[in-house]
Amino acid sequence: MLIDSFDRKIEYLRVSVTKQCNFRCQYCMPDTPENFSDTSSLIPLDKMLEFIKVAIDEGIKKIRITGGEPLLRKDLANFIASIRSYSPEIELALTTNGFFLKQYAQALKDAGLNRLNISLDSLQASKVALISKRDVLPQILEGIDEAQKVGFPIKVNMVPLKGINDDEILPMLEYAMQRKITLRFIEFMENDHARSHLKGLNEAEILHIISQKYRIIEVPKQTLGPSKSYQLENGTKFGIIAPHNDDFCKSCNRIRLTSEGTICPCLYYQEAVDAKEGILEGDSQKMRESIRLSVKNKPEKNQWDLEQNEHSARAFYYTGG
Ligand code: SAM
Ligand code: SF4
């Protein structure tokens, strides 16, 4: 069992399998060159699998595959199937921009993936194009359809931005309501790689917009993790991830492995453990020590103070969000 220095049980590992992406979202990697490739720094998936096995043996119970865009990594379905065959009980999830889902949803389902989070910031093609720098709304919606057809439970992640897609909060909620999808609003997290003019809506501002049309009930937390759950009177549930709130880190139960073999104990804290050598050598003892060290080093709170103008220098496409 992995317990950190502040008595939090660490059971959730996020694994970023690539920094590469086919989108260029304004809040993530707007200035990354189109021909960016990270192939030379990637940990091979068979080596990552060995690390994941050690992490499961240490007490990890939930794994989320992320990126960059994870579906750009060839053989991802086989990788997922191998994790599933090592642990039939582990909760296995994937976060994706949805572009390749139409193609891969069935293979991911067959591989034993349990759930999908799909990022979508608007139902207007022009706004999706403005945010992601790609004209991709039809492909994302088709991906969502296919994923539902093959039986995945789906959450949609939306990052509300002032003057860009704040008028899409209610349409997105109603789309999710009709499709029986859970919508999760993520407060925009300022970082050095995002466009500097972006302003996100905070939890109170998001709730205010929804409350103009619906009565909202806060649902008591049932699981660990940073998302808060809300419900409308008609039973529709939605969530908000609000890292700007003071109590955000109290329930944190996660560590992150990057595609280059670094373990990050916190999204907004620069220190990390370089586990690359142990992973590439396939040395279980070294990998175990790296995992334990990252849990021991996990800070009580993120080092993120907007009043002090402290942004994260780490990119979301590096840590996987
Ligand atoms: N490419 C995949 C996708 O977009 O779903 C997975 C990786 S992406 C980094 C994971 C999540 O991080 C997405 O839901 C995205 O919206 C979110 N994200 C990226 N940059 C963010 C930021 N600056 N603030 C808040 N959320 C962000
Ligand atoms: Fe790509 Fe996801 Fe970042 Fe958008 S948020 S650029 S889809 S990694």
Side-chain angles (χ1 to χ4, degrees), residues 14-24 28-29 36 38 65-73 94-98 100 119 258-259 315-321:
R14 294 176 68 104
V15 178
S16 172
V17 291
T18 179
K19 288 195 287 186
Q20 234 166 284
C21 188
N22 52 329
F23 292 7
R24 288 290 179 272
C28 184
M29 52 191 299
F36 167 71
D38 64 349
I65 312 295
T66 175
E69 176 45 44
L71 292 175
L72 283 175
R73 191 95 195 238
L94 176 86
T95 300
T96 170
N97 63 28
F100 298 105
S119 304
T258 72
S259 55
F316 272 67
Y317 62 92
Y318 174 69
T319 52

PDB file of all heavy atoms in Angstrom, residues 14-24 28-29 36 38 65-73 94-98 100 119 258-259 315-321:
ATOM      1  N   ARG A  14      -1.486   7.914 -13.313  1.00  0.00           N
ATOM      2  CA  ARG A  14      -1.774   8.399 -14.672  1.00  0.00           C
ATOM      3  C   ARG A  14      -0.522   8.174 -15.513  1.00  0.00           C
ATOM      4  O   ARG A  14       0.579   8.512 -15.071  1.00  0.00           O
ATOM      5  CB  ARG A  14      -2.136   9.893 -14.646  1.00  0.00           C
ATOM      6  CG  ARG A  14      -3.447  10.168 -13.921  1.00  0.00           C
ATOM      7  CD  ARG A  14      -3.714  11.647 -13.839  1.00  0.00           C
ATOM      8  NE  ARG A  14      -4.001  12.247 -15.119  1.00  0.00           N
ATOM      9  CZ  ARG A  14      -5.219  12.601 -15.544  1.00  0.00           C
ATOM     10  NH1 ARG A  14      -6.267  12.403 -14.780  1.00  0.00           N
ATOM     11  NH2 ARG A  14      -5.386  13.165 -16.721  1.00  0.00           N
ATOM     12  N   VAL A  15      -0.703   7.595 -16.664  1.00  0.00           N
ATOM     13  CA  VAL A  15       0.441   7.251 -17.512  1.00  0.00           C
ATOM     14  C   VAL A  15       0.318   8.003 -18.831  1.00  0.00           C
ATOM     15  O   VAL A  15      -0.624   7.785 -19.596  1.00  0.00           O
ATOM     16  CB  VAL A  15       0.464   5.723 -17.795  1.00  0.00           C
ATOM     17  CG1 VAL A  15       1.627   5.371 -18.708  1.00  0.00           C
ATOM     18  CG2 VAL A  15       0.550   4.939 -16.492  1.00  0.00           C
ATOM     19  N   SER A  16       1.281   8.891 -19.084  1.00  0.00           N
ATOM     20  CA  SER A  16       1.295   9.600 -20.362  1.00  0.00           C
ATOM     21  C   SER A  16       2.147   8.786 -21.330  1.00  0.00           C
ATOM     22  O   SER A  16       3.319   8.526 -21.054  1.00  0.00           O
ATOM     23  CB  SER A  16       1.872  10.999 -20.170  1.00  0.00           C
ATOM     24  OG  SER A  16       2.044  11.585 -21.437  1.00  0.00           O
ATOM     25  N   VAL A  17       1.564   8.405 -22.476  1.00  0.00           N
ATOM     26  CA  VAL A  17       2.300   7.529 -23.391  1.00  0.00           C
ATOM     27  C   VAL A  17       2.979   8.277 -24.536  1.00  0.00           C
ATOM     28  O   VAL A  17       3.745   7.689 -25.291  1.00  0.00           O
ATOM     29  CB  VAL A  17       1.404   6.386 -23.941  1.00  0.00           C
ATOM     30  CG1 VAL A  17       1.050   5.397 -22.844  1.00  0.00           C
ATOM     31  CG2 VAL A  17       0.155   6.931 -24.614  1.00  0.00           C
ATOM     32  N   THR A  18       2.656   9.569 -24.679  1.00  0.00           N
ATOM     33  CA  THR A  18       3.359  10.390 -25.686  1.00  0.00           C
ATOM     34  C   THR A  18       3.102  11.869 -25.395  1.00  0.00           C
ATOM     35  O   THR A  18       2.077  12.221 -24.799  1.00  0.00           O
ATOM     36  CB  THR A  18       2.894  10.080 -27.130  1.00  0.00           C
ATOM     37  OG1 THR A  18       3.593  10.933 -28.043  1.00  0.00           O
ATOM     38  CG2 THR A  18       1.403  10.284 -27.321  1.00  0.00           C
ATOM     39  N   LYS A  19       4.036  12.716 -25.843  1.00  0.00           N
ATOM     40  CA  LYS A  19       3.803  14.170 -25.742  1.00  0.00           C
ATOM     41  C   LYS A  19       3.204  14.689 -27.046  1.00  0.00           C
ATOM     42  O   LYS A  19       2.777  15.823 -27.138  1.00  0.00           O
ATOM     43  CB  LYS A  19       5.139  14.897 -25.520  1.00  0.00           C
ATOM     44  CG  LYS A  19       5.717  14.685 -24.139  1.00  0.00           C
ATOM     45  CD  LYS A  19       6.803  15.695 -23.850  1.00  0.00           C
ATOM     46  CE  LYS A  19       8.058  15.403 -24.606  1.00  0.00           C
ATOM     47  NZ  LYS A  19       9.188  16.260 -24.254  1.00  0.00           N
ATOM     48  N   GLN A  20       3.204  13.832 -28.055  1.00  0.00           N
ATOM     49  CA  GLN A  20       2.749  14.269 -29.380  1.00  0.00           C
ATOM     50  C   GLN A  20       1.222  14.402 -29.426  1.00  0.00           C
ATOM     51  O   GLN A  20       0.527  13.651 -28.738  1.00  0.00           O
ATOM     52  CB  GLN A  20       3.167  13.218 -30.397  1.00  0.00           C
ATOM     53  CG  GLN A  20       3.945  13.788 -31.539  1.00  0.00           C
ATOM     54  CD  GLN A  20       4.609  12.692 -32.332  1.00  0.00           C
ATOM     55  OE1 GLN A  20       5.607  12.137 -31.893  1.00  0.00           O
ATOM     56  NE2 GLN A  20       4.064  12.376 -33.480  1.00  0.00           N
ATOM     57  N   CYS A  21       0.729  15.322 -30.228  1.00  0.00           N
ATOM     58  CA  CYS A  21      -0.716  15.457 -30.380  1.00  0.00           C
ATOM     59  C   CYS A  21      -1.037  15.955 -31.783  1.00  0.00           C
ATOM     60  O   CYS A  21      -0.255  16.692 -32.381  1.00  0.00           O
ATOM     61  CB  CYS A  21      -1.283  16.416 -29.338  1.00  0.00           C
ATOM     62  SG  CYS A  21      -3.093  16.402 -29.358  1.00  0.00           S
ATOM     63  N   ASN A  22      -2.216  15.561 -32.258  1.00  0.00           N
ATOM     64  CA  ASN A  22      -2.670  16.041 -33.568  1.00  0.00           C
ATOM     65  C   ASN A  22      -3.464  17.336 -33.455  1.00  0.00           C
ATOM     66  O   ASN A  22      -3.860  17.899 -34.457  1.00  0.00           O
ATOM     67  CB  ASN A  22      -3.506  14.957 -34.271  1.00  0.00           C
ATOM     68  CG  ASN A  22      -4.629  14.425 -33.399  1.00  0.00           C
ATOM     69  OD1 ASN A  22      -4.505  14.381 -32.174  1.00  0.00           O
ATOM     70  ND2 ASN A  22      -5.717  14.022 -33.989  1.00  0.00           N
ATOM     71  N   PHE A  23      -3.738  17.827 -32.227  1.00  0.00           N
ATOM     72  CA  PHE A  23      -4.384  19.123 -32.012  1.00  0.00           C
ATOM     73  C   PHE A  23      -3.334  20.095 -31.453  1.00  0.00           C
ATOM     74  O   PHE A  23      -2.263  19.681 -31.018  1.00  0.00           O
ATOM     75  CB  PHE A  23      -5.521  19.024 -30.989  1.00  0.00           C
ATOM     76  CG  PHE A  23      -6.738  18.224 -31.412  1.00  0.00           C
ATOM     77  CD1 PHE A  23      -6.759  17.496 -32.599  1.00  0.00           C
ATOM     78  CD2 PHE A  23      -7.874  18.205 -30.610  1.00  0.00           C
ATOM     79  CE1 PHE A  23      -7.873  16.754 -32.966  1.00  0.00           C
ATOM     80  CE2 PHE A  23      -8.993  17.470 -30.971  1.00  0.00           C
ATOM     81  CZ  PHE A  23      -8.999  16.740 -32.142  1.00  0.00           C
ATOM     82  N   ARG A  24      -3.694  21.363 -31.407  1.00  0.00           N
ATOM     83  CA  ARG A  24      -2.819  22.381 -30.821  1.00  0.00           C
ATOM     84  C   ARG A  24      -3.670  23.299 -29.930  1.00  0.00           C
ATOM     85  O   ARG A  24      -3.779  24.503 -30.206  1.00  0.00           O
ATOM     86  CB  ARG A  24      -2.123  23.199 -31.930  1.00  0.00           C
ATOM     87  CG  ARG A  24      -1.035  22.442 -32.684  1.00  0.00           C
ATOM     88  CD  ARG A  24       0.204  22.193 -31.817  1.00  0.00           C
ATOM     89  NE  ARG A  24       1.253  21.441 -32.501  1.00  0.00           N
ATOM     90  CZ  ARG A  24       1.331  20.110 -32.526  1.00  0.00           C
ATOM     91  NH1 ARG A  24       0.422  19.364 -31.920  1.00  0.00           N
ATOM     92  NH2 ARG A  24       2.336  19.519 -33.146  1.00  0.00           N
ATOM     93  N   CYS A  28      -2.977  24.352 -24.052  1.00  0.00           N
ATOM     94  CA  CYS A  28      -2.072  23.217 -23.840  1.00  0.00           C
ATOM     95  C   CYS A  28      -0.758  23.360 -24.604  1.00  0.00           C
ATOM     96  O   CYS A  28       0.304  23.475 -24.004  1.00  0.00           O
ATOM     97  CB  CYS A  28      -2.804  21.935 -24.233  1.00  0.00           C
ATOM     98  SG  CYS A  28      -1.880  20.433 -23.937  1.00  0.00           S
ATOM     99  N   MET A  29      -0.812  23.314 -25.949  1.00  0.00           N
ATOM    100  CA  MET A  29       0.434  23.350 -26.719  1.00  0.00           C
ATOM    101  C   MET A  29       0.278  24.156 -28.010  1.00  0.00           C
ATOM    102  O   MET A  29       0.618  23.670 -29.098  1.00  0.00           O
ATOM    103  CB  MET A  29       0.923  21.918 -27.020  1.00  0.00           C
ATOM    104  CG  MET A  29      -0.114  21.022 -27.656  1.00  0.00           C
ATOM    105  SD  MET A  29       0.340  19.249 -27.717  1.00  0.00           S
ATOM    106  CE  MET A  29       1.810  19.220 -28.698  1.00  0.00           C
ATOM    107  N   PHE A  36       6.489  18.493 -34.667  1.00  0.00           N
ATOM    108  CA  PHE A  36       7.072  18.002 -33.413  1.00  0.00           C
ATOM    109  C   PHE A  36       6.936  16.479 -33.315  1.00  0.00           C
ATOM    110  O   PHE A  36       5.873  15.917 -33.546  1.00  0.00           O
ATOM    111  CB  PHE A  36       6.361  18.677 -32.231  1.00  0.00           C
ATOM    112  CG  PHE A  36       6.659  18.042 -30.898  1.00  0.00           C
ATOM    113  CD1 PHE A  36       7.908  18.175 -30.314  1.00  0.00           C
ATOM    114  CD2 PHE A  36       5.688  17.288 -30.241  1.00  0.00           C
ATOM    115  CE1 PHE A  36       8.183  17.579 -29.093  1.00  0.00           C
ATOM    116  CE2 PHE A  36       5.957  16.693 -29.013  1.00  0.00           C
ATOM    117  CZ  PHE A  36       7.203  16.840 -28.446  1.00  0.00           C
ATOM    118  N   ASP A  38       8.272  13.139 -30.663  1.00  0.00           N
ATOM    119  CA  ASP A  38       9.013  12.768 -29.450  1.00  0.00           C
ATOM    120  C   ASP A  38       9.460  11.305 -29.503  1.00  0.00           C
ATOM    121  O   ASP A  38       9.828  10.721 -28.482  1.00  0.00           O
ATOM    122  CB  ASP A  38       8.156  13.023 -28.198  1.00  0.00           C
ATOM    123  CG  ASP A  38       6.912  12.148 -28.149  1.00  0.00           C
ATOM    124  OD1 ASP A  38       6.579  11.499 -29.162  1.00  0.00           O
ATOM    125  OD2 ASP A  38       6.271  12.106 -27.089  1.00  0.00           O
ATOM    126  N   ILE A  65      -4.653   6.163 -18.932  1.00  0.00           N
ATOM    127  CA  ILE A  65      -3.701   6.390 -20.019  1.00  0.00           C
ATOM    128  C   ILE A  65      -4.042   7.744 -20.638  1.00  0.00           C
ATOM    129  O   ILE A  65      -5.199   8.038 -20.944  1.00  0.00           O
ATOM    130  CB  ILE A  65      -3.831   5.294 -21.112  1.00  0.00           C
ATOM    131  CG1 ILE A  65      -3.848   3.883 -20.503  1.00  0.00           C
ATOM    132  CG2 ILE A  65      -2.730   5.438 -22.154  1.00  0.00           C
ATOM    133  CD1 ILE A  65      -2.612   3.453 -19.821  1.00  0.00           C
ATOM    134  N   THR A  66      -2.994   8.566 -20.818  1.00  0.00           N
ATOM    135  CA  THR A  66      -3.237   9.904 -21.328  1.00  0.00           C
ATOM    136  C   THR A  66      -2.045  10.331 -22.195  1.00  0.00           C
ATOM    137  O   THR A  66      -1.234   9.524 -22.610  1.00  0.00           O
ATOM    138  CB  THR A  66      -3.558  10.859 -20.142  1.00  0.00           C
ATOM    139  OG1 THR A  66      -3.685  12.190 -20.626  1.00  0.00           O
ATOM    140  CG2 THR A  66      -2.514  10.851 -19.051  1.00  0.00           C
ATOM    141  N   GLY A  67      -1.924  11.625 -22.487  1.00  0.00           N
ATOM    142  CA  GLY A  67      -0.812  12.110 -23.310  1.00  0.00           C
ATOM    143  C   GLY A  67      -0.702  13.620 -23.176  1.00  0.00           C
ATOM    144  O   GLY A  67      -1.170  14.175 -22.187  1.00  0.00           O
ATOM    145  N   GLY A  68      -0.278  14.241 -24.194  1.00  0.00           N
ATOM    146  CA  GLY A  68      -0.427  14.176 -25.629  1.00  0.00           C
ATOM    147  C   GLY A  68      -1.694  13.405 -26.004  1.00  0.00           C
ATOM    148  O   GLY A  68      -2.591  13.261 -25.205  1.00  0.00           O
ATOM    149  N   GLU A  69      -1.735  12.988 -27.237  1.00  0.00           N
ATOM    150  CA  GLU A  69      -2.890  12.193 -27.657  1.00  0.00           C
ATOM    151  C   GLU A  69      -2.499  10.718 -27.630  1.00  0.00           C
ATOM    152  O   GLU A  69      -1.744  10.247 -28.483  1.00  0.00           O
ATOM    153  CB  GLU A  69      -3.362  12.645 -29.047  1.00  0.00           C
ATOM    154  CG  GLU A  69      -4.495  11.816 -29.602  1.00  0.00           C
ATOM    155  CD  GLU A  69      -5.612  11.514 -28.591  1.00  0.00           C
ATOM    156  OE1 GLU A  69      -6.037  12.409 -27.858  1.00  0.00           O
ATOM    157  OE2 GLU A  69      -6.045  10.347 -28.512  1.00  0.00           O
ATOM    158  N   PRO A  70      -3.027   9.973 -26.654  1.00  0.00           N
ATOM    159  CA  PRO A  70      -2.579   8.583 -26.476  1.00  0.00           C
ATOM    160  C   PRO A  70      -2.874   7.684 -27.671  1.00  0.00           C
ATOM    161  O   PRO A  70      -2.136   6.737 -27.936  1.00  0.00           O
ATOM    162  CB  PRO A  70      -3.341   8.106 -25.237  1.00  0.00           C
ATOM    163  CG  PRO A  70      -4.453   9.072 -25.043  1.00  0.00           C
ATOM    164  CD  PRO A  70      -4.001  10.363 -25.629  1.00  0.00           C
ATOM    165  N   LEU A  71      -3.941   8.007 -28.436  1.00  0.00           N
ATOM    166  CA  LEU A  71      -4.286   7.113 -29.551  1.00  0.00           C
ATOM    167  C   LEU A  71      -3.354   7.294 -30.748  1.00  0.00           C
ATOM    168  O   LEU A  71      -3.477   6.595 -31.747  1.00  0.00           O
ATOM    169  CB  LEU A  71      -5.755   7.292 -29.949  1.00  0.00           C
ATOM    170  CG  LEU A  71      -6.745   6.788 -28.881  1.00  0.00           C
ATOM    171  CD1 LEU A  71      -8.176   7.091 -29.279  1.00  0.00           C
ATOM    172  CD2 LEU A  71      -6.572   5.292 -28.622  1.00  0.00           C
ATOM    173  N   LEU A  72      -2.384   8.215 -30.631  1.00  0.00           N
ATOM    174  CA  LEU A  72      -1.341   8.304 -31.660  1.00  0.00           C
ATOM    175  C   LEU A  72      -0.299   7.204 -31.469  1.00  0.00           C
ATOM    176  O   LEU A  72       0.516   6.953 -32.355  1.00  0.00           O
ATOM    177  CB  LEU A  72      -0.620   9.664 -31.577  1.00  0.00           C
ATOM    178  CG  LEU A  72      -1.353  10.868 -32.157  1.00  0.00           C
ATOM    179  CD1 LEU A  72      -0.558  12.142 -31.885  1.00  0.00           C
ATOM    180  CD2 LEU A  72      -1.564  10.698 -33.652  1.00  0.00           C
ATOM    181  N   ARG A  73      -0.304   6.604 -30.275  1.00  0.00           N
ATOM    182  CA  ARG A  73       0.714   5.586 -29.988  1.00  0.00           C
ATOM    183  C   ARG A  73       0.241   4.242 -30.550  1.00  0.00           C
ATOM    184  O   ARG A  73      -0.816   3.727 -30.140  1.00  0.00           O
ATOM    185  CB  ARG A  73       0.918   5.523 -28.467  1.00  0.00           C
ATOM    186  CG  ARG A  73       2.104   4.724 -28.037  1.00  0.00           C
ATOM    187  CD  ARG A  73       3.339   5.552 -27.815  1.00  0.00           C
ATOM    188  NE  ARG A  73       4.509   4.711 -27.752  1.00  0.00           N
ATOM    189  CZ  ARG A  73       5.350   4.654 -26.730  1.00  0.00           C
ATOM    190  NH1 ARG A  73       5.164   5.409 -25.663  1.00  0.00           N
ATOM    191  NH2 ARG A  73       6.395   3.866 -26.765  1.00  0.00           N
ATOM    192  N   LEU A  94      -9.038   5.898 -20.114  1.00  0.00           N
ATOM    193  CA  LEU A  94      -8.245   6.594 -21.132  1.00  0.00           C
ATOM    194  C   LEU A  94      -8.813   7.998 -21.326  1.00  0.00           C
ATOM    195  O   LEU A  94     -10.036   8.163 -21.377  1.00  0.00           O
ATOM    196  CB  LEU A  94      -8.348   5.812 -22.446  1.00  0.00           C
ATOM    197  CG  LEU A  94      -7.668   6.418 -23.674  1.00  0.00           C
ATOM    198  CD1 LEU A  94      -6.190   6.016 -23.720  1.00  0.00           C
ATOM    199  CD2 LEU A  94      -8.327   5.940 -24.971  1.00  0.00           C
ATOM    200  N   THR A  95      -7.936   8.983 -21.420  1.00  0.00           N
ATOM    201  CA  THR A  95      -8.378  10.336 -21.775  1.00  0.00           C
ATOM    202  C   THR A  95      -7.891  10.633 -23.190  1.00  0.00           C
ATOM    203  O   THR A  95      -6.708  10.461 -23.494  1.00  0.00           O
ATOM    204  CB  THR A  95      -7.800  11.384 -20.799  1.00  0.00           C
ATOM    205  OG1 THR A  95      -8.245  11.070 -19.491  1.00  0.00           O
ATOM    206  CG2 THR A  95      -8.279  12.791 -21.141  1.00  0.00           C
ATOM    207  N   THR A  96      -8.800  11.086 -24.044  1.00  0.00           N
ATOM    208  CA  THR A  96      -8.467  11.296 -25.460  1.00  0.00           C
ATOM    209  C   THR A  96      -9.189  12.520 -26.007  1.00  0.00           C
ATOM    210  O   THR A  96     -10.244  12.906 -25.488  1.00  0.00           O
ATOM    211  CB  THR A  96      -8.865  10.048 -26.298  1.00  0.00           C
ATOM    212  OG1 THR A  96      -8.752  10.365 -27.689  1.00  0.00           O
ATOM    213  CG2 THR A  96     -10.289   9.587 -26.022  1.00  0.00           C
ATOM    214  N   ASN A  97      -8.632  13.073 -27.086  1.00  0.00           N
ATOM    215  CA  ASN A  97      -9.340  14.178 -27.742  1.00  0.00           C
ATOM    216  C   ASN A  97     -10.450  13.659 -28.660  1.00  0.00           C
ATOM    217  O   ASN A  97     -11.176  14.443 -29.264  1.00  0.00           O
ATOM    218  CB  ASN A  97      -8.365  15.083 -28.508  1.00  0.00           C
ATOM    219  CG  ASN A  97      -7.637  14.377 -29.655  1.00  0.00           C
ATOM    220  OD1 ASN A  97      -8.132  13.438 -30.241  1.00  0.00           O
ATOM    221  ND2 ASN A  97      -6.438  14.867 -29.960  1.00  0.00           N
ATOM    222  N   GLY A  98     -10.573  12.343 -28.808  1.00  0.00           N
ATOM    223  CA  GLY A  98     -11.711  11.746 -29.510  1.00  0.00           C
ATOM    224  C   GLY A  98     -11.538  11.579 -31.004  1.00  0.00           C
ATOM    225  O   GLY A  98     -12.321  10.889 -31.651  1.00  0.00           O
ATOM    226  N   PHE A 100      -9.564   9.903 -32.977  1.00  0.00           N
ATOM    227  CA  PHE A 100      -9.372   8.555 -33.551  1.00  0.00           C
ATOM    228  C   PHE A 100     -10.326   7.511 -32.969  1.00  0.00           C
ATOM    229  O   PHE A 100     -10.157   6.323 -33.184  1.00  0.00           O
ATOM    230  CB  PHE A 100      -7.928   8.081 -33.298  1.00  0.00           C
ATOM    231  CG  PHE A 100      -6.889   8.953 -33.937  1.00  0.00           C
ATOM    232  CD1 PHE A 100      -6.130   9.822 -33.168  1.00  0.00           C
ATOM    233  CD2 PHE A 100      -6.663   8.910 -35.309  1.00  0.00           C
ATOM    234  CE1 PHE A 100      -5.168  10.634 -33.750  1.00  0.00           C
ATOM    235  CE2 PHE A 100      -5.706   9.715 -35.895  1.00  0.00           C
ATOM    236  CZ  PHE A 100      -4.954  10.579 -35.116  1.00  0.00           C
ATOM    237  N   SER A 119     -12.285  14.877 -24.467  1.00  0.00           N
ATOM    238  CA  SER A 119     -12.229  16.326 -24.306  1.00  0.00           C
ATOM    239  C   SER A 119     -12.982  17.007 -25.432  1.00  0.00           C
ATOM    240  O   SER A 119     -12.738  16.717 -26.602  1.00  0.00           O
ATOM    241  CB  SER A 119     -10.772  16.796 -24.290  1.00  0.00           C
ATOM    242  OG  SER A 119     -10.099  16.099 -23.263  1.00  0.00           O
ATOM    243  N   THR A 258       5.489  10.048 -16.847  1.00  0.00           N
ATOM    244  CA  THR A 258       5.542  10.675 -18.176  1.00  0.00           C
ATOM    245  C   THR A 258       6.032   9.660 -19.218  1.00  0.00           C
ATOM    246  O   THR A 258       6.590   8.607 -18.865  1.00  0.00           O
ATOM    247  CB  THR A 258       6.484  11.894 -18.201  1.00  0.00           C
ATOM    248  OG1 THR A 258       7.831  11.411 -18.132  1.00  0.00           O
ATOM    249  CG2 THR A 258       6.216  12.845 -17.049  1.00  0.00           C
ATOM    250  N   SER A 259       5.878  10.029 -20.472  1.00  0.00           N
ATOM    251  CA  SER A 259       6.288   9.137 -21.569  1.00  0.00           C
ATOM    252  C   SER A 259       7.803   8.971 -21.629  1.00  0.00           C
ATOM    253  O   SER A 259       8.311   8.124 -22.348  1.00  0.00           O
ATOM    254  CB  SER A 259       5.780   9.697 -22.895  1.00  0.00           C
ATOM    255  OG  SER A 259       6.228  11.036 -23.048  1.00  0.00           O
ATOM    256  N   ALA A 315       4.460  21.365 -18.967  1.00  0.00           N
ATOM    257  CA  ALA A 315       3.378  21.359 -19.949  1.00  0.00           C
ATOM    258  C   ALA A 315       2.372  20.260 -19.640  1.00  0.00           C
ATOM    259  O   ALA A 315       2.747  19.187 -19.171  1.00  0.00           O
ATOM    260  CB  ALA A 315       3.974  21.131 -21.335  1.00  0.00           C
ATOM    261  N   PHE A 316       1.104  20.528 -19.934  1.00  0.00           N
ATOM    262  CA  PHE A 316       0.059  19.513 -19.723  1.00  0.00           C
ATOM    263  C   PHE A 316       0.264  18.321 -20.652  1.00  0.00           C
ATOM    264  O   PHE A 316      -0.048  17.194 -20.304  1.00  0.00           O
ATOM    265  CB  PHE A 316      -1.327  20.124 -19.961  1.00  0.00           C
ATOM    266  CG  PHE A 316      -1.893  20.735 -18.722  1.00  0.00           C
ATOM    267  CD1 PHE A 316      -1.317  21.855 -18.158  1.00  0.00           C
ATOM    268  CD2 PHE A 316      -2.996  20.183 -18.099  1.00  0.00           C
ATOM    269  CE1 PHE A 316      -1.827  22.415 -17.004  1.00  0.00           C
ATOM    270  CE2 PHE A 316      -3.507  20.728 -16.948  1.00  0.00           C
ATOM    271  CZ  PHE A 316      -2.926  21.848 -16.398  1.00  0.00           C
ATOM    272  N   TYR A 317       0.773  18.602 -21.869  1.00  0.00           N
ATOM    273  CA  TYR A 317       0.961  17.482 -22.798  1.00  0.00           C
ATOM    274  C   TYR A 317       2.152  16.618 -22.377  1.00  0.00           C
ATOM    275  O   TYR A 317       2.363  15.542 -22.901  1.00  0.00           O
ATOM    276  CB  TYR A 317       1.113  17.980 -24.252  1.00  0.00           C
ATOM    277  CG  TYR A 317       2.313  18.873 -24.507  1.00  0.00           C
ATOM    278  CD1 TYR A 317       3.513  18.324 -24.934  1.00  0.00           C
ATOM    279  CD2 TYR A 317       2.238  20.242 -24.343  1.00  0.00           C
ATOM    280  CE1 TYR A 317       4.619  19.131 -25.175  1.00  0.00           C
ATOM    281  CE2 TYR A 317       3.335  21.062 -24.581  1.00  0.00           C
ATOM    282  CZ  TYR A 317       4.521  20.495 -24.989  1.00  0.00           C
ATOM    283  OH  TYR A 317       5.618  21.298 -25.227  1.00  0.00           O
ATOM    284  N   TYR A 318       2.931  17.095 -21.393  1.00  0.00           N
ATOM    285  CA  TYR A 318       4.050  16.312 -20.837  1.00  0.00           C
ATOM    286  C   TYR A 318       3.550  15.464 -19.665  1.00  0.00           C
ATOM    287  O   TYR A 318       3.788  14.262 -19.590  1.00  0.00           O
ATOM    288  CB  TYR A 318       5.144  17.273 -20.396  1.00  0.00           C
ATOM    289  CG  TYR A 318       6.313  16.632 -19.656  1.00  0.00           C
ATOM    290  CD1 TYR A 318       7.202  15.788 -20.323  1.00  0.00           C
ATOM    291  CD2 TYR A 318       6.537  16.893 -18.301  1.00  0.00           C
ATOM    292  CE1 TYR A 318       8.263  15.219 -19.651  1.00  0.00           C
ATOM    293  CE2 TYR A 318       7.608  16.332 -17.630  1.00  0.00           C
ATOM    294  CZ  TYR A 318       8.476  15.484 -18.302  1.00  0.00           C
ATOM    295  OH  TYR A 318       9.520  14.919 -17.636  1.00  0.00           O
ATOM    296  N   THR A 319       2.819  16.096 -18.753  1.00  0.00           N
ATOM    297  CA  THR A 319       2.351  15.365 -17.565  1.00  0.00           C
ATOM    298  C   THR A 319       1.077  14.575 -17.837  1.00  0.00           C
ATOM    299  O   THR A 319       0.729  13.682 -17.066  1.00  0.00           O
ATOM    300  CB  THR A 319       2.025  16.347 -16.419  1.00  0.00           C
ATOM    301  OG1 THR A 319       1.147  17.335 -16.917  1.00  0.00           O
ATOM    302  CG2 THR A 319       3.271  17.000 -15.871  1.00  0.00           C
ATOM    303  N   GLY A 320       0.366  14.918 -18.904  1.00  0.00           N
ATOM    304  CA  GLY A 320      -0.876  14.201 -19.223  1.00  0.00           C
ATOM    305  C   GLY A 320      -2.103  14.816 -18.593  1.00  0.00           C
ATOM    306  O   GLY A 320      -3.183  14.255 -18.654  1.00  0.00           O
ATOM    307  N   GLY A 321      -1.964  15.966 -17.957  1.00  0.00           N
ATOM    308  CA  GLY A 321      -3.110  16.664 -17.372  1.00  0.00           C
ATOM    309  C   GLY A 321      -3.543  16.074 -16.049  1.00  0.00           C
ATOM    310  O   GLY A 321      -3.013  15.070 -15.599  1.00  0.00           O
TER     311      GLY A 321
END
